Amino acid sequence: FLGSSTQSINHANQVAPTISASSGTKAYGSEIETTLLLTSNDKIYLGLSYEQTKIGQNAFNTPVCYNWGTATHPVIAMGDATNGYQTTNIAACSAKNLAANPATVNWVRYRAIVSPSAHLFDAPVWNGNVNYQHVFDLSSGATVTAGVGVHFESSKNTATAYYADGINPAFHQTDITLTYNTADGKWQLAGWVKNVENHAVIAGAQTTPGLDYVYPVLAPPRMWGINLSAKF
């Protein structure tokens, strides 16, 4: 059992929160993590996760037709498990709304079908991290630590309402660091670059109330910086 919340438009054109329940939701998988000390100055971290999920039966499985305006029947179901979750279309939506209240229909939208076997949102089948670090010992007693890390994910849907516009394709992202530490450990100078590839990654997708589209929220692009820190 899984609960979810979304927003819709009622007959008075008001935004209203809607809580729906899912049944038959499943999630299973495995995860492995290991750290390898190749030498006293070399370290590798490996992490890999595999997860299979499905949303089960919930409100998103049935196409819904929204009738905006002052109609007394603003939401009309367009399909259910009996008819095999048939995909609706705007013409059928309009016809049903006109039949319900022909005098007040001024805007019609519909929500597309989502299969009960679809993956849960924000749940990639594969994701993991590979990090490598090497420490250079200088004759002065200071150290320079170089590190590189790669994060990767298979494709996933980032929209809570499971719309296709929220799907982020498979990607990998590399971060690198270079850190200088003085011999007494009091000073540190670090340079870093994140998202070296400058990939546009969808971190999340917000559903627009009452409409059937989403707008994505992107993760930061390539970023770099220098940090100076001291201990007293």
Side-chain angles (χ1 to χ4, degrees):
F1 176 86
L2 178 70
S4 60
S5 176
T6 186
Q7 291 181 317
S8 59
I9 303 297
N10 63 16
H11 67 282
N13 281 339
Q14 298 170 330
V15 177
T18 302
I19 298 177
S20 60
S22 300
S23 61
T25 301
K26 293 184 178 181
Y28 62 91
S30 59
E31 183 177 357
I32 183 173
E33 295 183 54
T34 184
T35 300
L36 305 175
L37 299 177
L38 302 180
T39 70
S40 59
N41 290 57
D42 295 274
K43 179 169 62 176
I44 293 180
Y45 167 82
L46 302 172
L48 180 64
S49 175
Y50 170 80
E51 184 179 26
Q52 281 288 351
T53 64
K54 70 174 184 177
I55 64 174
Q57 184 68 42
N58 62 39
F60 298 115
N61 297 139
T62 302
V64 171
C65 184
Y66 295 95
N67 182 351
W68 287 20
T70 58
T72 56
H73 302 286
V75 177
I76 301 174
M78 298 294 292
D80 54 33
T82 303
N83 63 27
Y85 301 101
Q86 296 175 358
T87 301
T88 186
N89 57 61
I90 201 70
C93 181
S94 299
K96 282 184 174 289
N97 275 290
L98 288 170
N101 199 328
T104 59
V105 175
N106 57 15
W107 192 304
V108 175
R109 302 286 283 182
Y110 75 95
R111 184 177 69 207
I113 189 76
V114 177
S115 170
S117 61
H119 290 289
L120 289 171
F121 77 94
D122 203 25
V125 175
W126 294 97
N127 77 88
N129 296 279
V130 179
N131 301 322
Y132 171 71
Q133 177 181 288
H134 178 77
V135 179
F136 297 90
D137 296 315
L138 305 183
S139 58
S140 63
T143 61
V144 174
T145 303
V148 58
V150 179
H151 174 76
F152 58 89
E153 292 184 10
S154 58
S155 64
K156 66 179 181 181
N157 197 328
T158 63
T160 55
Y162 305 97
Y163 290 110
D165 291 345
I167 294 179
N168 188 75
F171 75 97
H172 66 275
Q173 179 175 307
T174 305
D175 300 337
I176 58 176
T177 60
L178 189 65
T179 305
Y180 172 82
N181 289 280
T182 58
D184 57 11
K186 291 184 177 181
W187 293 91
Q188 181 185 85
L189 180 65
W192 50 268
V193 181
K194 296 183 178 181
N195 190 5
V196 174
E197 300 87 349
N198 200 29
H199 290 320
V201 178
I202 300 177
Q206 304 296 320
T207 306
T208 304
L211 304 181
D212 35 329
Y213 63 85
V214 299
Y215 58 93
V217 177
L218 298 180
R222 182 191 299 123
M223 300 177 64
W224 63 271
I226 299 175
N227 299 334
L228 177 63
S229 58
K231 296 179 181 179
F232 300 97

